Amino acid sequence: MSEKQELNMYALSTDPIFIGTGGYTIGRVDNTIVRDTITKIPKIPGSSIAGTWRYYMALELQGWYKKNFENIKSILGGNEIATEDIRELVNRLADRELDAGRRENFSERMTKFKKYSKAISSAINTNCYENNNDNETKNDWQLYWGNLISSIKCAGQDDKANENYEDSLVGSIRELSDTGHCGHCIICKTFGFSKKNRSQQGMAYFSDLNILLFPVYTRLGVKWVTSPYILESAGIKAKFQQMNKSEDILSESSFSRLRNLLKDDTAVIVKNCENENDKYYINLGWLNLEAVNQDILLALPNLENKEETWKNISENLIIVPDDLISNIINANLEVRTSVSINPLTGTAKEGALFTSEAIPRGTVFYGNIRLLESQSEVAPTINEVVMALKDSKKYYECLGVGGMTTRGFGRAKLFFS
């Protein structure tokens, strides 16, 4: 039976996020964003996450090899080879060690690359151990043998899909612009590849990132709204603090009681309070709802020990009825107006005004990544894939996801729990 693992993933947007539907629409805004077809709540599609993460993992891997290249060159005894490309280095070393009749043999070259990878791993990790450098010991996933022939072209669309699976391993050394997906590295194994004579589904399956907590301006300051359906879908457990101690936090009665409180379009403000059931009104954008205080414990995840990140959010939660949450979210999206500039006059171009909507910064999302062990004999372990995902998610904090990332959109912080 194949090994499998599921990672719960959460994200906090630090910029507005725009995942467009393509084309213009007639309505409140010209450029609309992707929404769930059932709830009409905006989301970040899993395809957007997978596509950007593939690129970010390739960036992290190539950056690691660039940083450690001279050391690797010395370990493999290739100092006399004039190159700064890891692919060219290991291929020239293999050509030097294999006779002419064995150089084009797939198994022979793979054996050599595995030997090089093992030598690099042993030398680097031994050096880290001797120097007591804990920050440099997490090199397991970077040293998977197939990474030695990877390139930045392992991200994005495959420019060489009509080549055979073996060609990237036994073919002649080519310029970077003349390569495609190698099919052997941890990037191709994690996200999948398709060559002329072999295709393989990726080991990682990405869900959509759905909204868990949405920021809304109120007369009491910024509050984060959610609903019972969203909390249940995200696996968040709720418990009224005044329940009997014998009542389990997993009990369905918590959400039943919560839904009863939310009848008649009442909002529940989650807070530590002495005067429960004191009713007043609170505005959520343009919508004015009757509100009631309730001392409710929500079992929010411990996101990689980032308690401070969530402290302000957890102290400003409001739960609204399921039938209102979509309207509240869609009415409080960020709308940005843009205009094209005439390059000759430097002024606004006539007829080129357009508007775009986006999910505002401060929104919390939830989703998951399902990992399934590959049936291939030569594939990274699930643990190596998890390490690669964790090491490369930092790029979302500077490069972001979605469109208009050069104009103040797209950045987010990702967490695993």
Side-chain angles (χ1 to χ4, degrees), residues 27-320:
R28 186 170 69 103
V29 294
D30 299 309
N31 297 324
T32 56
I33 56 177
V34 173
R35 288 173 167 80
D36 184 277
T37 56
I38 304 299
T39 64
K40 301 303 179 184
I41 295 177
K43 65 178 182 178
I44 301 177
S47 56
S48 297
I49 297 297
T52 50
W53 216 322
R54 181 171 191 147
Y55 174 56
Y56 296 156
M57 191 183 292
L59 280 180
E60 177 69 13
L61 180 61
Q62 296 306 312
W64 186 88
Y65 273 118
K66 184 176 181 180
K67 176 183 176 182
N68 295 277
F69 184 75
E70 292 302 323
N71 188 24
I72 292 173
K73 201 173 183 181
S74 176
I75 292 170
L76 297 180
N79 288 326
E80 76 284 0
I81 299 177
T83 181
E84 296 183 358
D85 182 4
I86 187 65
R87 296 175 304 119
E88 184 174 358
L89 174 65
V90 295
N91 273 287
R92 292 197 183 282
L93 286 171
D95 288 344
R96 187 173 67 182
E97 296 179 19
L98 295 171
D99 56 49
R102 298 160 58 203
R103 288 175 185 170
E104 298 299 313
N105 185 287
F106 177 79
S107 297
E108 293 277 3
R109 293 188 80 85
M110 183 172 67
T111 300
K112 288 295 180 184
F113 293 151
K114 286 183 176 181
K115 185 188 79 170
Y116 300 152
S117 177
K118 186 175 181 180
I120 298 169
S121 178
S122 177
I124 289 181
N125 287 324
T126 298
N127 181 62
C128 292
Y129 176 78
E130 292 175 349
N131 295 326
N132 294 320
N133 191 344
D134 294 334
N135 294 327
E136 297 293 337
T137 58
K138 298 193 304 178
N139 297 316
D140 293 342
W141 75 269
Q142 292 96 333
L143 295 173
Y144 173 68
W145 76 269
N147 295 342
L148 293 174
I149 56 170
S150 69
S151 72
I152 195 65
K153 296 293 287 292
C154 287
Q157 186 177 11
D158 190 359
D159 294 334
K160 298 293 179 180
N162 289 326
E163 290 188 348
N164 289 327
Y165 171 70
E166 297 83 7
D167 289 350
S168 59
L169 204 63
V170 301
S172 59
I173 300 170
R174 296 176 293 183
E175 294 294 329
L176 179 61
S177 59
D178 194 36
T179 61
H181 293 175
C182 71
H184 305 282
C185 68
I186 195 170
I187 298 157
C188 292
K189 298 293 186 181
T190 299
F191 297 92
F193 65 91
S194 181
K195 308 302 284 187
K196 182 178 180 180
N197 63 338
R198 182 173 179 179
S199 297
Q200 185 172 315
Q201 193 172 40
M203 296 172 62
Y205 301 76
F206 295 82
S207 75
D208 295 338
L209 281 180
N210 296 295
I211 292 177
L212 174 61
L213 305 171
F214 185 83
V216 176
Y217 176 76
T218 74
R219 64 181 180 84
L220 300 178
V222 177
K223 300 291 182 180
W224 278 261
V225 299
T226 187
S227 75
Y229 172 78
I230 290 177
L231 292 173
E232 287 180 302
S233 299
I236 305 297
K237 309 303 179 184
K239 180 180 180 180
F240 286 80
Q241 293 289 68
Q242 291 186 350
M243 283 182 172
N244 296 327
K245 292 184 179 180
S246 60
E247 191 163 5
D248 190 356
I249 191 173
L250 306 182
S251 173
E252 292 295 331
S253 62
S254 295
F255 282 106
S256 297
R257 180 178 172 184
L258 184 57
R259 284 190 168 93
N260 286 330
L261 285 172
L262 294 171
K263 288 181 178 179
D264 302 322
D265 294 340
T266 299
V268 171
I269 298 180
V270 180
K271 61 187 299 185
N272 295 323
C273 51
E274 297 180 357
N275 300 320
E276 291 188 0
N277 299 319
D278 285 351
K279 293 186 177 181
Y280 53 97
Y281 287 87
I282 188 168
N283 66 303
L284 299 175
W286 60 269
L287 191 63
N288 201 41
L289 294 180
E290 188 176 32
V292 59
N293 292 331
Q294 285 291 321
D295 194 358
I296 301 175
L297 173 64
L298 292 178
L300 296 174
N302 179 19
L303 303 180
E304 299 179 5
N305 298 317
K306 301 291 184 181
E307 291 89 351
E308 290 300 321
T309 304
W310 306 102
K311 183 178 180 181
N312 184 50
I313 295 177
S314 62
E315 293 176 351
N316 290 280
L317 295 180
I318 296 180
I319 304 175
V320 300

